[in-house]
Amino acid sequence: MRLSAIFTSLALPLVSLAIPVSEYILHARDIGQLEPGTTPVLSQQAAFSGDITKCQGYNVDNTQTSDSGGLLIYLTLINKCSAYGTDIKSLTVSVEYETESRLHVHMYDNDLKQYQVPQYVLPRPGGSSSCNKDKSNLKFEYNQDPFEFWITRKEDNAVLFDTRQNNIPTYKESTQIQGNYSNYTVLPSHPLIFEDQYLQLSSALPKDANIFGLGEVIASTGYIRNSSATVQTFWARDVGDPVDENMYGVHPMYMEVRWDEKRNKLMSHGVFLLNSNGMDVILRDGVIEYRAIGGTFDFYFFSGPSPNDVAAQYAQAVGLPQVMPEWSFGFHLCRWGYTSVVDTRSTVTRMREAGIPLEVQWNDIDWMRAYREFQFDQNYAPDDYRAFVDELHSMNQHYIPIIDAAIGYLYNDSDVFDVYSRGHELDVWMKNPDGTEYVGAVWPGFTVFPDWFNPKMQQVWTEAFYNLSQVVDFDGIWLDMNEPSSFVDGSATNSTIPIEDTSVVPPNYTPQAPPTDYPEGYFPNVSGPSGNVTVDGQLTYGQNGTAPKNTALRRSFATEIAFEARDSSSPPDLPANNPDIPYVDEPPYPIRNQAGRLSAKTVSPNATHYGGLQEYNVHNLWGTMEEIHMHDTLLDLKPGKRPFMVARSTFAGIGRKTAHWLGDNYSTFAYMKRSIQGVLQFNLFGIPMVGPDTCGFNGNTDEELCNRWMQLSAFFPFYRNHNTKLALSQEPYNWDSVRNASIKAINARYALLPYWQTLFAKAAGYGEPPVIPLFHEFQNPSYLTIDSQFLIGPSILVTPVLQPNESSVYGIFPNANGVFWVDWWTHTKVDNSKKDNISISLPLGEIGVHVRSGSVLLLYDQPEYTVKETRDGGYSIQVVLDGKGYAEGDAKIDDGETYPVNELTCLTFVASENCLTSTPNGNYNIDNKLKRIVIVGVWNKPSVASLNGKTIDTSQVKYDEKVGKVTITNVGGDLNQGWTLKWE
């Protein structure tokens, strides 16, 4: 309170001075509403009523055909509205049939003063000259008075998006979110509203709609969204993985899936709103409503009709994901708390001594002097640091350091920081409205923030990393805190108060003691003082009888299981003008930012970028802009090599530049389960290289949890173990059972690397997601709620144990059209012929991995310690014949590192009638040989086998009659040539 009073007296009208976040009471605007209410969201500004019921929308004035054959519709406001902003009286609606599956509907102000995302940030896909409304799978129709439109898919005549008010239910009473009633869920009417600081549009949905997407979010309902009580806020926020709240990334895209009784199949479509301003999207039964505090309504509609089609069509629109370096699929290890080069080297050594493959070693902010980017801590002296990274490279391993978003500020005339000074010289740091540098506070103390819209920012950034690379030959970069995060609310200084006179004291966020909580389910009378829930490999979770089960598992699926148990790089293009926004810090409509004010724990929305552009419009783009610059920097520093970075804050389309980790999660079984929905979500968003902090970041993990999680994450695209400072160590060598489980899972992962590379090549080529839920492949509406299992491509089904103290699990093994599944480890067939819900035994250290019948997989023959050594060992092929003796598959092979990919060979495999063929097509020469072929589903022992007509020696052929498996060794095959294997 004392600081708040001081700042009130000193604040200038145009500059918000900072207050520590710890002094500002952060709260959700809904908390404490224990009874339902009828009050909509109140306006924060007295000039605006907040009453949308008085708004009547727009009329059509005129229409004309666009140059590309689409439609232009001109609208005029019917009556004064002024709900949460100043009315915009004249609008244009542009309708473009860009491809057969994509329709672009953009509603914008005629004066073009509303902010629009630049092409530099998200290049628009454009349209096909051959496509028109007759060839499109989608049909646009509208009413004139008032203007309303609806989108129909021609294939099934389904209305996919419908803004006609008569078809949309209203809700005059609030409903609950996380136990509290939210006035954001009051939806009294549905007019089209287009104001300078408030845009509103609603569309009808089916009852109990199946909605996926609208992230980044950890949804309490799992991967599927709650269609009757969701408020998804889009305002990038530094926060430790909350449930049902806004967090790091902004992806205003959703996929809806409907069961078509007539066609007996799932029909899917997608909707993407390209808008970078703060926004709420509300779901109540029968309606989705958009509420943005700026920008335009720039919609893209995707016709599907399969879920994979929708994901691919979306990725094609926002940008196909970057192909990843092969080494990035290895196992990564990090923690906050490796306080020196000695500590970090010791970890690498212990991993090798334990025999646990380690591909990439990371360092958190410990390497920085006083947490200041680009300066070395005394325990990371340049010579020692350089030698350590060189050692990693000599052992075919890789290295990644962290870089936080904010740059340390000079405290006094004697302070020296070259990166800050260079940026100050070129004037590239974000500004206060009065033109002084905006100063927040992050780990280094006082900080400035890069202005990514400044054309000179790339020069400063590349110089800084070039200088760093002269000491640390990093292979990739970890971008953290780039929402951007700031530990104070507002700027600490301005034109009248220099930093020497500021009253702001940056809070000390450095942990002073270890986390006090025991690991989840810990009972010291059984487990002793070790901190390990599991003792000598025995499960002891909750033996005091009070520890919770994993409540993140979906209730409906748990009920189903119980029943079955009884029964079975150029400068940015800036907008032409940047008009002042009247209410930047507290807009009339207060989006449901769970941190409170828009400026809480981030840069204030009144901060300015190059050309006068306000943070208000581009806050959600800050992280993406950094990632674009970082991508260009990596290309400059390592030309011809695939850039690799992992970033926290993301925006639509940035999968073309970066990977993502799921943020600061917790060491609990619930968060292990929630990591699955996060991976599925980002694969839908076109950012497929994604994974969690394995074993959990916050809090203390334990042996059982880390055992299960290390195995689960081995089957996610991005695989990193990372935890917080001073928590219990969770490197996998700390427990024998975790060590053994990790080695087993990593060996399987490394064998599957050619399959992973193939899936990512397809994602980079046309957008198909590598990791998918079951309903993407199998037409069953009961699978829509399943996110306790997932598929890697079409052929690998992963079934983890997600509950503590359990050694078996029920899983869905789809059996449509005679599909069956073969255990990865034993090649034993799962009997799913009578039902698809099967119990499998998975004691500690085991995870369910099954191969789909009819699949042919190219694998690495012998997993080794590193990816390079594994690759050098050559290939094998695994075939799982279906009930008719047929299987097929493909593989895309390149050198795993060159960017862009100019040399690529695709292998096509077909097995039929006791014959397996391989057909190559491409220009990449595959150096390593085919060593082994395994065929499962051969139920009569072959008397002879031949390759290209030449009989194979019987000593090379082994047969296992229990699983019907033929193994042929010492093949020595050249994958660059076509070949035929026969057995009889």
Side-chain angles (χ1 to χ4, degrees), residues 59 195 333 429 474 752 847 921 938:
N59 279 339
E195 300 168 345
L333 182 61
W429 307 129
F474 50 82
L752 281 165
I847 184 171
N921 181 28
V938 179

Side-chain angles (χ1 to χ4, degrees), residues 6 42 84 235 279 402 515 519 612 635 678 685 705 752 773 778-779 788 814-815 824 850 923 936 938 950 963 972 979:
I6 292 173
L42 298 177
Y84 297 101
W235 188 256
M279 179 166 37
I402 194 173
L635 288 177
F685 295 152
L705 175 61
L752 281 165
F778 300 99
Q779 302 289 325
S788 53
N815 56 9
W824 165 268
H850 292 82
N923 60 351
V936 180
V938 179
K950 182 179 180 180
V963 294
W979 50 263

Side-chain angles (χ1 to χ4, degrees), residues 503-526:
S503 301
V504 178
V505 178
N508 181 3
Y509 273 69
T510 304
Q512 301 300 313
T516 57
D517 292 340
Y518 283 121
E520 183 184 26
Y522 181 76
F523 188 44
N525 288 355
V526 174

Side-chain angles (χ1 to χ4, degrees), residues 855-856 877-882 884-887 910-918 933-952 957-959 964-968 979-984:
S855 300
V856 181
I877 291 174
Q878 180 169 311
V879 181
V880 178
L881 300 173
D882 66 12
K884 298 179 181 179
Y886 181 83
V910 177
S912 179
E913 298 180 346
N914 296 347
C915 177
L916 172 65
T917 63
S918 173
I933 300 173
V934 176
I935 307 168
V936 180
V938 179
W939 296 106
N940 294 303
K941 183 178 180 180
S943 59
V944 63
S946 63
L947 182 64
N948 291 334
K950 182 179 180 180
T951 301
I952 299 174
V957 183
K958 295 182 180 180
Y959 181 69
K965 178 174 69 174
V966 175
T967 302
I968 302 172
W979 50 263
T980 299
L981 172 72
K982 294 184 177 180
W983 63 94
E984 55 187 62

Side-chain angles (χ1 to χ4, degrees), residues 625-641:
M625 292 295 291
E626 181 187 31
E627 289 139 28
I628 291 171
H629 282 72
M630 189 71 246
H631 187 269
D632 290 346
T633 294
L634 290 171
L635 288 177
D636 285 342
L637 296 181
K638 295 181 179 291
K641 301 295 184 183

Side-chain angles (χ1 to χ4, degrees), residues 420-555:
Y420 167 78
S421 297
R422 182 60 167 153
H424 181 77
E425 174 191 354
L426 295 181
D427 197 25
V428 300
W429 307 129
M430 288 179 66
K431 300 290 195 298
N432 288 309
D434 64 6
T436 57
E437 288 176 346
Y438 184 100
V439 178
V442 195
W443 298 117
F446 288 122
T447 58
V448 292
F449 297 84
D451 175 6
W452 304 114
F453 289 91
N454 191 310
K456 296 180 181 179
M457 188 64 235
Q458 184 69 61
Q459 179 182 350
V460 174
W461 205 239
T462 300
E463 286 178 4
F465 278 95
Y466 172 80
N467 292 332
L468 175 64
S469 71
Q470 300 309 293
V471 174
V472 182
D473 185 16
F474 50 82
D475 299 285
I477 289 294
W478 173 19
L479 298 179
D480 196 6
M481 312 291 286
N482 62 341
E483 290 69 35
S485 178
S486 179
F487 295 159
V488 293
D489 184 337
S491 180
T493 182
N494 58 39
S495 58
T496 63
I497 303 177
I499 196 68
E500 294 83 0
D501 296 334
T502 187
S503 301
V504 178
V505 178
N508 181 3
Y509 273 69
T510 304
Q512 301 300 313
T516 57
D517 292 340
Y518 283 121
E520 183 184 26
Y522 181 76
F523 188 44
N525 288 355
V526 174
S527 301
S530 67
N532 300 341
V533 171
T534 307
V535 176
D536 297 329
Q538 299 299 310
L539 306 179
T540 65
Y541 181 99
Q543 288 200 4
N544 60 346
T546 62
K549 286 290 188 178
N550 184 354
T551 56
L553 286 169
R554 286 188 53 79
R555 185 174 300 131

Side-chain angles (χ1 to χ4, degrees), residues 40 51-56 165 168-172 186-193 198 200-202 287 289 291:
D51 185 1
I52 66 170
T53 63
K54 295 180 180 179
C55 305
Q56 297 180 27
Q165 295 186 60
I168 309 173
T170 58
Y171 290 93
K172 297 184 179 180
V186 177
L187 309 177
S189 63
H190 299 290
L192 167 62
I193 302 175
Y198 184 72
Q200 178 180 302
L201 183 72
S202 302
V287 58
E289 181 168 284
R291 301 172 182 171

